[in-house]
Amino acid sequence: MNQTYMCPSCRAKTRFNVIEQVVTPVMWNSNEGEYEAAEETAPFHLAYNGPDKRVQCGSCGLVEDEIRFIKMAENAGR
Ligand SMILES: [Zn+2]
């Protein structure tokens, strides 16, 4: 990992928790009365298009999309 992060809230640059997102599509099954795994390509089911990773600041606990931490570091470096 060679990405530089900076927390948008407290501007810490040292400690982070990187959260890999795992997507499980589910669909309500009214017969069973519970959610069950669904095909990601099922009709009318939007595929997840959010970020692969989220990041938590290890100093203040803020959780945001990884891109916000990367952009913050880039802007601070200028
Ligand atoms: Zn922070």
Side-chain angles (χ1 to χ4, degrees):
M1 191 169 96
N2 54 9
Q3 220 53 269
T4 306
Y5 294 151
M6 179 186 274
C7 176
S9 176
C10 74
R11 304 178 71 85
K13 291 191 281 190
T14 311
R15 300 164 200 278
F16 299 97
N17 298 313
V18 178
I19 307 156
E20 303 274 351
Q21 308 227 80
V22 179
V23 181
T24 306
V26 297
M27 194 167 160
W28 181 252
N29 181 326
S30 51
N31 294 328
E32 303 292 331
E34 61 184 24
Y35 288 98
E36 62 183 22
E39 296 291 324
E40 212 167 331
T41 55
F44 311 117
H45 195 127
L46 286 178
Y48 177 72
N49 64 355
D52 294 337
K53 289 178 192 168
R54 284 170 69 85
V55 172
Q56 180 176 44
C57 174
S59 300
C60 75
L62 178 80
V63 181
E64 282 287 351
D65 293 349
E66 182 188 37
I67 191 70
R68 289 210 55 205
F69 286 81
I70 294 170
K71 289 292 177 198
M72 190 72 190
E74 284 176 6
N75 292 339
R78 274 183 209 140

